[in-house]
Amino acid sequence: NFNFDNFPIVNVDLSGVIVDDSDFTNFTNNWLELYNKKENFQFIFNTKNAGLINIKYCIYMAFFIKLIKKKPVQYLTNSKIYVYNMYIFKLFKLIFYIEKPVAPVELILYINNTIEKEYIT
């Protein structure tokens, strides 16, 4: 779910699971629509209610990031990703291992009352 109420900050709630490829396509289409606005923006992702995601969508996401990087102008300035589950954290690490992010990412893991931050550029 994309929330544009505080644009240029775009809050994205990654709740539930990706049911099928059309769910993933809907997510990437929303992202592409932001590029069509031709205005800088930043993402804040919340994964608190995310379910277990099939690893194939990590591969799809890495390919999508690679596609976005080919755009002549990058409007995404940075991202923050709040993660509450080690499995989801490792999936993000895998995505960014396969393909570096479009813009700097702050990956924030909240687990067992501790906070671990990682910066990925």
Side-chain angles (χ1 to χ4, degrees):
N1 295 323
F2 284 71
N3 181 326
F4 304 100
D5 291 347
N6 296 315
F7 192 85
I9 298 171
V10 179
N11 291 290
V12 183
D13 180 13
L14 298 175
S15 292
V17 297
I18 300 172
V19 175
D20 55 27
D21 289 357
S22 67
D23 275 354
F24 182 80
T25 301
N26 287 335
F27 171 78
T28 56
N29 284 342
N30 278 310
W31 188 324
L32 289 171
E33 283 180 32
L34 285 164
Y35 271 75
N36 292 336
K37 287 184 175 195
K38 299 184 183 206
E39 296 180 54
N40 288 342
F41 66 96
Q42 75 179 72
F43 276 133
I44 298 178
F45 292 96
N46 183 346
T47 68
K48 191 166 195 164
N49 297 311
L52 296 179
I53 306 297
N54 188 317
I55 200 163
K56 81 175 183 178
Y57 294 109
C58 290
I59 308 301
Y60 288 7
M61 192 66 210
F63 286 134
F64 177 73
I65 291 169
K66 188 173 190 154
L67 175 79
I68 289 284
K69 285 177 158 181
K70 292 179 181 176
K71 293 203 168 284
V73 177
Q74 292 303 324
Y75 296 104
L76 177 60
T77 59
N78 68 316
S79 298
K80 288 184 180 184
I81 306 171
Y82 294 93
V83 182
Y84 303 85
N85 173 302
M86 187 56 78
Y87 175 76
I88 301 294
F89 182 79
K90 288 182 179 183
L91 289 180
F92 277 108
K93 296 280 291 177
L94 176 62
I95 291 167
F96 297 129
Y97 175 78
I98 296 169
E99 187 67 41
K100 295 291 182 200
V102 171
V105 171
E106 184 178 4
L107 192 56
I108 305 158
L109 175 64
Y110 290 93
I111 196 161
N112 298 327
N113 295 323
T114 62
I115 299 170
E116 178 181 326
K117 292 183 181 183
E118 188 165 330
Y119 298 92
I120 306 166
T121 57

